[in-house]
């Protein structure tokens, strides 16, 4: 990435954070989905601990669907507000992509930092491999952010948007989602957690980032 893009990236990121703090619809939608799901799980368990494999799957289901409530708004809000043409006129494609991707990653990381400890507390799950657990959360969040930002740009101008984002998102994120569940289960004591899965997640995240960078130029200047 060219160093000359950094000022523009920081400018887009700052704009997104400012608007996100002013209009908190995406923040609240993600948070309320996660909290509602956690509350239902906690009441259903009634204090009984979850088996590691089930706990791992449930954690990533919560994180994935909570992210769906906010990750698709990065370009949809611009389109609805009518500011997208102005952004296209004055913003370079890579600057906009990385600025919005950085904001989406920040948003999902904040959600993960809040939800993961609360999930462990309410389900009684114990982390036995903290390093694997933290790296899995980080790489999973990065993958969701990269895929979410690109697909949000793809679906921005779609005539039929209902459910389209989630439909496109799921197959793209499965190569991150499945090993993340397996690694999280291992980190919670549900078996081995081979580091090759972490390497695979990191490589796929890199592919997503490079693919987003290449494809976004075509999406941004298609008009």
């Amino acid at each position: 990435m060219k160093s000359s893009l950094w000022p523009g990236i920081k400018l887009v990121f700052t704009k997104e954070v400012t608007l996100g703090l002013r209009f908190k619809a995406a923040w609240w939608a993600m948070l309320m989905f996660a909290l509602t799901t956690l509350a239902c799980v906690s009441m259903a368990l009634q204090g009984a601990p979850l088996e590691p494999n089930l706990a791992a799957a449930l954690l990533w289901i919560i994180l994935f669907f909570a992210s769906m409530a906010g990750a698709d708004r990065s370009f949809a809000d611009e389109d609805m507000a009518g500011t997208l043409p102005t952004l296209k006129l004055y913003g370079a494609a890579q600057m906009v992509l990385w600025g919005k991707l950085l904001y989406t990653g920040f948003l999902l990381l904040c959600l993960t930092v809040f939800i993961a400890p609360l999930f462990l507390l309410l389900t009684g799950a114990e982390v036995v491999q903290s390093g694997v657990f933290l790296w899995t959360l980080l790489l999973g969040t990065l993958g969701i952010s990269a895929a979410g930002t690109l697909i949000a740009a793809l679906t921005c101008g779609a005539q039929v948007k209902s459910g389209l984002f989630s439909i496109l998102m799921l197959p793209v994120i499965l190569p991150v989602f499945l090993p993340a569940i397996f690694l999280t289960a291992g980190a919670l004591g549900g078996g081995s957690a081979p580091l090759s899965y972490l390497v695979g997640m990191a490589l796929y995240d890199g592919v997503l980032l490079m693919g987003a960078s290449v494809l976004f130029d075509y999406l941004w200047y298609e008009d």
Side-chain angles (χ1 to χ4, degrees), residues 55-198:
L58 185 58
L59 174 60
W60 281 101
I61 287 172
I62 293 173
L63 291 175
F64 176 75
F65 284 102
S67 69
M68 294 301 96
D72 63 332
R73 302 182 68 92
S74 56
F75 288 94
D77 287 348
E78 299 272 7
D79 193 25
M80 292 177 62
T83 58
L84 197 59
T86 304
L87 192 62
K88 284 188 175 184
L89 182 62
Y90 293 103
Q94 295 301 310
M95 179 187 78
V96 173
L97 169 67
W98 291 102
K100 286 185 174 290
L101 196 152
L102 189 61
Y103 171 72
T104 303
F106 171 73
L107 187 63
L108 297 184
L109 187 60
C110 289
L111 177 73
T112 303
V113 168
F114 178 78
I115 290 299
L118 192 59
F119 177 85
L120 296 175
L121 178 65
L122 293 178
T123 60
E126 296 183 4
V127 179
V128 296
Q129 298 185 54
S130 58
V132 172
F133 185 70
L134 292 175
W135 274 108
T136 302
L137 289 178
L138 182 62
L139 291 174
T141 300
L142 178 60
I144 294 174
S145 303
T149 303
L150 178 60
I151 295 176
L154 281 168
T155 59
C156 180
Q159 297 297 319
V160 181
K161 296 183 181 180
S162 179
L164 184 59
F165 181 80
S166 300
I167 292 171
L168 294 176
M169 184 72 170
L170 186 58
V172 173
I173 207 62
L174 273 179
V176 171
F177 198 55
L178 296 179
I181 293 175
F182 189 81
L183 286 165
T184 304
L188 297 179
S192 62
L195 294 181
S196 59
Y197 279 61
L198 278 176

Side-chain angles (χ1 to χ4, degrees), residues 20-21 23-35 69-70 107 111:
L21 292 174
F23 307 105
K24 304 179 181 67
W27 292 77
W28 284 116
M30 296 168 67
L31 185 61
M32 291 309 298
F33 177 90
L35 288 177
L107 187 63
L111 177 73

